[in-house]
Amino acid sequence: MKYRIPQLIPYVGKEEVENLKKVIDTKWLTEGAFSEKFVNLIKDFTGAKHVLLANNGTLGLFLSLLSLGVGPGDEVIVPDFTFIASASSVVFTGAKPVFVDVKKEDLNIDPDQIESKITSRTKAIMPVHIYGQAADMEPILKIAKKYNLKVIEDAAQGFGVYYKGRHTGTIGDIGVISFFADKTITMGEGAVVLTNDDKIFEKARLIRNQGRPSSGTFIHPALGMNFRVTDLQCAVGVAQIRKFDEIKKLKIAHYQLYKRELSSVKQIKFLQEMEYSNFVPFRANILVQRKKELINYLERHGIQTREFFYPLHRQPCFSYLKYKKDEFPVSNFAFAHGLSLPVFCDLRDEEILYICSKIKEFYGN
Ligand SMILES: *Cc1c(COP(=O)(O)O)cnc(C)c1O
């Protein structure tokens, strides 16, 4: 179906095309000059000591878990409310994901519920910085220290998001930012792995490139895989990172307009903005009454919405973990009531006003 207003359109144009043309002209398509440039831009932007490229956020998490030594017999604590990749990446290492509920204010992992889930098999905690706000890292780091656990941050949605001034993904032992087509900035598919730890970096570097320190040699000191990207993707990434300030400004302005227009609608609530994080609206999220009906109503008027994540403990693929459906009340509540309104740079104010008028119409005010 063609929407009058789609959920999201990436903010790409002539800058990306110019960079892509440069790559084609050099005839060097795998990691090259743009990849190096992109890595350096990410280092400057995030302050991470080490940055590695990965094919996407999912495999970036998988690579990070392997680099931390997570494997069969281990458990990794993951919030119940997140994209499937946070947990599937754990499963593919042979380890078991253990779910924890989230906070109703911001839908990030609830640090107060982590300790009761720790066992002798727990190896790591994976906070996920969800919907453009940082998880509360200080208590998580404290618990990790107490039980000698690793912290891997899923900052897939966290580009430009800081926890008390530190960029998400650089606070724990290792972290991942995704640049999938619907993330804050994009390279189509792609991700970076961030770490300040020299040993973890060395291990990740070997694993990502066939177990060898650099390409061009066929002697492999370790066993690895291929997590490399292309210079085409990084050419797009370089153009995107330069647009970030503009992207952030536009998305915040759109979000504020939604907030202003919908503040009088009592059937709608926005998530809370926490004092320890800045906010880069990843979606224009609202918690609503009669979610399904509203989605259908907006759909009939050409407006594409998106539902929130389906709680991990209820995923058919995780039935073997034997959680009960009513465990994790906040995560269940978020799914039952949450939806994302369109938010992207080229969205016009009139379009937002149209969406808000349809929502008001639906609730009869
Ligand atoms: C997008 C996303 C991922 C996966 O990233 P891909 O690049 O799409 O593989 C992982 N975790 C979260 C929270 C995400 O939003």
Side-chain angles (χ1 to χ4, degrees):
M1 149 161 193
K2 180 118 176 61
Y3 289 96
R4 177 168 165 183
I5 309 174
Q7 174 71 195
L8 186 137
I9 302 172
Y11 197 46
V12 288
K14 65 175 193 320
E15 298 83 357
E16 286 78 7
V17 173
E18 275 164 25
N19 281 0
L20 283 167
K21 186 174 179 312
K22 283 182 199 159
V23 177
I24 297 294
D25 287 345
T26 65
K27 300 195 186 294
W28 185 273
L29 302 185
T30 182
E31 293 178 354
F34 272 107
S35 306
E36 197 181 324
K37 177 146 211 135
F38 187 64
V39 162
N40 286 328
L41 286 170
I42 294 286
K43 272 189 200 167
D44 289 346
F45 190 90
T46 61
K49 182 171 180 193
H50 302 293
V51 173
L52 289 165
L53 294 158
N55 344 44
N56 54 56
T58 308
L59 289 172
L61 288 169
F62 181 55
L63 171 62
S64 301
L65 289 159
L66 293 177
S67 306
L68 294 177
V70 171
D74 294 334
E75 294 177 0
V76 177
I77 289 176
V78 176
D80 189 56
F81 185 79
T82 176
F83 183 56
I84 189 78
S86 312
S88 59
S89 58
V90 171
V91 175
F92 276 89
T93 68
K96 178 176 148 186
V98 173
F99 304 136
V100 168
D101 207 356
V102 292
K103 301 202 312 294
K104 66 177 189 313
E105 290 81 9
D106 61 348
L107 305 182
N108 271 310
I109 191 165
D110 184 352
D112 291 340
Q113 298 190 48
I114 291 176
E115 250 181 300
S116 65
K117 298 288 178 118
I118 292 173
T119 71
S120 59
R121 293 171 178 266
T122 309
K123 179 99 181 205
I125 307 172
M126 184 193 291
V128 180
H129 305 290
I130 210 87
Y131 290 152
Q133 286 199 86
D136 192 2
M137 292 301 291
E138 248 162 39
I140 295 170
L141 294 175
K142 219 160 141 187
I143 295 166
K145 193 164 177 202
K146 180 171 165 190
Y147 293 93
N148 194 23
L149 308 175
K150 298 290 183 194
V151 174
I152 164 172
E153 297 173 72
D154 180 344
Q157 306 179 357
F159 189 80
V161 178
Y162 297 80
Y163 175 79
K164 299 189 177 177
R166 294 162 77 187
H167 198 283
T168 53
T170 69
I171 304 160
D173 296 283
I174 196 163
V176 178
I177 304 174
S178 165
F179 303 110
F180 177 63
D182 75 351
K183 307 298 186 195
T184 303
I185 64 168
T186 183
M187 28 202 276
E189 296 276 358
V192 284
V193 172
L194 315 168
T195 183
N196 296 319
D197 185 300
D198 298 342
K199 283 212 181 75
I200 294 172
F201 167 68
E202 277 312 320
K203 196 159 170 198
R205 194 163 73 103
L206 285 178
I207 297 172
R208 80 176 284 279
N209 191 14
Q210 310 281 18
R212 60 193 166 176
S214 61
S215 295
T217 166
F218 295 113
I219 297 171
H220 304 258
L223 264 180
M225 265 288 136
N226 178 354
F227 291 93
R228 297 188 309 265
V229 301
T230 68
D231 235 31
L232 294 160
Q233 291 159 284
C234 292
V236 173
V238 166
Q240 285 275 295
I241 202 169
R242 291 182 174 142
K243 290 182 182 174
F244 170 70
D245 284 340
E246 194 189 348
I247 291 174
K248 182 173 83 171
K249 211 173 100 212
L250 288 165
K251 283 184 114 178
I252 289 175
H254 293 338
Y255 185 82
Q256 293 302 344
L257 183 55
Y258 274 121
K259 236 178 147 169
R260 236 180 4 257
E261 283 300 307
L262 296 174
S263 63
S264 61
V265 184
K266 65 176 190 312
Q267 292 89 345
I268 290 178
K269 270 177 50 187
F270 286 79
L271 295 174
Q272 202 172 309
E273 289 172 40
M274 309 306 285
E275 80 285 353
Y276 46 71
S277 175
N278 68 324
F279 179 43
V280 181
F282 183 71
R283 299 276 183 264
N285 285 330
I286 49 176
L287 295 162
V288 305
Q289 292 174 20
R290 295 158 59 206
K291 178 189 89 167
K292 269 280 184 234
E293 285 168 72
L294 178 59
I295 288 175
N296 292 336
Y297 188 79
L298 294 175
E299 187 101 353
R300 281 204 300 281
H301 289 90
I303 300 158
Q304 186 180 28
T305 58
R306 199 165 281 172
E307 290 189 74
F308 277 18
F309 294 120
Y310 192 57
L312 292 184
H313 76 282
R314 286 161 63 182
Q315 294 285 356
C317 62
F318 290 138
S319 60
Y320 71 96
L321 293 172
K322 304 234 180 301
Y323 285 98
K324 290 192 283 294
K325 187 168 182 277
D326 60 356
E327 278 180 76
F328 312 107
V330 179
S331 172
N332 280 334
F333 179 87
F335 172 72
H337 296 282
L339 72 90
S340 305
L341 298 170
V343 68
F344 52 89
C345 293
D346 289 321
L347 189 65
R348 286 175 291 120
D349 285 358
E350 306 90 82
E351 291 173 316
I352 295 175
L353 296 176
Y354 169 75
I355 294 167
C356 294
S357 75
K358 288 295 155 199
I359 293 172
K360 287 176 187 168
E361 197 175 280
F362 172 78
Y363 288 117
N365 35 356

